[in-house]
Amino acid sequence: MYPRGVHIVLVEDNPQLAGTISVGLGEDGYSVEVIETAAKAIARGLRRDLDLMILDLGLPDRDGVDVLRELRTARIHVPILVLTARDAVESRVAALDAGADDYLVKPFAFTELVARIGALVRRAGGPRWTPSSDIPILMRDDLMVEANGKAVSLSPREFALLGCLVRRRGEVVTRIEILREAFGYDFDPGTNVIDVHLTHVRKKLAGFPIAIETVRGAGIRLMVTG
Ligand code: CA
């Protein structure tokens, strides 16, 4: 079943490393969102709708340990895997003390990262996607979407696409962002892949209290209607 529906937030300011990790995890079926700063990581973590955070400790604005402390103080119990530099023994200890679930020392083998992620997700009881209370639909782990007593089944890609739009509801999400977050592409394949899936999602969710709008030249936006 793994990693279907598992959403990972990767906090890493090195664009090359972030790109390599997110493409690799995307190929393994995870949906990955990249964040570059500690401030954004804290804000993102507080929204709760993620299954795992990979956290680099050396961030441009604040130490990754501050992110851990702030999220744990706010009772955010999402699994957090820390990435640390080889020589920073004390920061590794500080990270574990501050609530990290596991750590990996850079440079690491990608297979090891995947193994650690799998272990953390299993330990956390699998994907538990809890939508915020202001979204009137429930996205279940078995790819069913529920609202007003109705339930429909989505394909993994449709589910990932909807999840990406739900997380950013009210905002225009660009096609590139959707390709990256929902499809794991770091390039535009130049096809209408998003539109095809979007058509299916709209059809399946007709009558649900949401509207998915195409904003010409900008991207796609999900609005709550009910
Ligand atoms: Ca860094």
Side-chain angles (χ1 to χ4, degrees), residues 14 48 52 57 65 86 114 119 130 148 159 165 168-169 191-192 202 222:
N14 177 331
R48 294 175 187 272
L52 183 117
L57 291 186
V65 172
R86 179 174 290 281
V114 171
T130 315
N148 305 333
F159 194 84
L165 295 172
R168 308 251 319 255
R169 60 193 168 275
T191 64
N192 62 349
R202 282 196 183 112
L222 182 143

Side-chain angles (χ1 to χ4, degrees), residues 72-101:
R72 295 314 190 206
T73 301
R75 298 172 174 274
I76 303 291
H77 301 301
V78 65
I80 299 180
L81 171 67
V82 158
L83 302 179
T84 75
R86 179 174 290 281
D87 52 354
V89 178
E90 63 289 343
S91 72
R92 223 143 68 206
V93 172
L96 291 172
D97 281 348
D101 295 279

Side-chain angles (χ1 to χ4, degrees), residues 167-200:
R167 279 190 292 280
R168 308 251 319 255
R169 60 193 168 275
E171 291 173 36
V172 176
V173 187
T174 68
R175 285 173 182 271
I176 292 294
E177 288 171 324
I178 291 171
L179 286 169
R180 195 173 55 218
E181 292 182 22
F183 295 78
Y185 295 160
D186 66 336
F187 59 94
D188 186 344
T191 64
N192 62 349
V193 59
I194 294 177
D195 300 284
V196 170
H197 289 291
L198 206 53
T199 303
H200 292 153

Side-chain angles (χ1 to χ4, degrees), residues 11-14 17 36 56-60 83 106:
V11 187
E12 171 59 69
D13 61 314
N14 177 331
L17 183 58
E36 302 86 7
D56 177 33
L57 291 186
L59 295 169
L83 302 179
K106 292 179 181 179

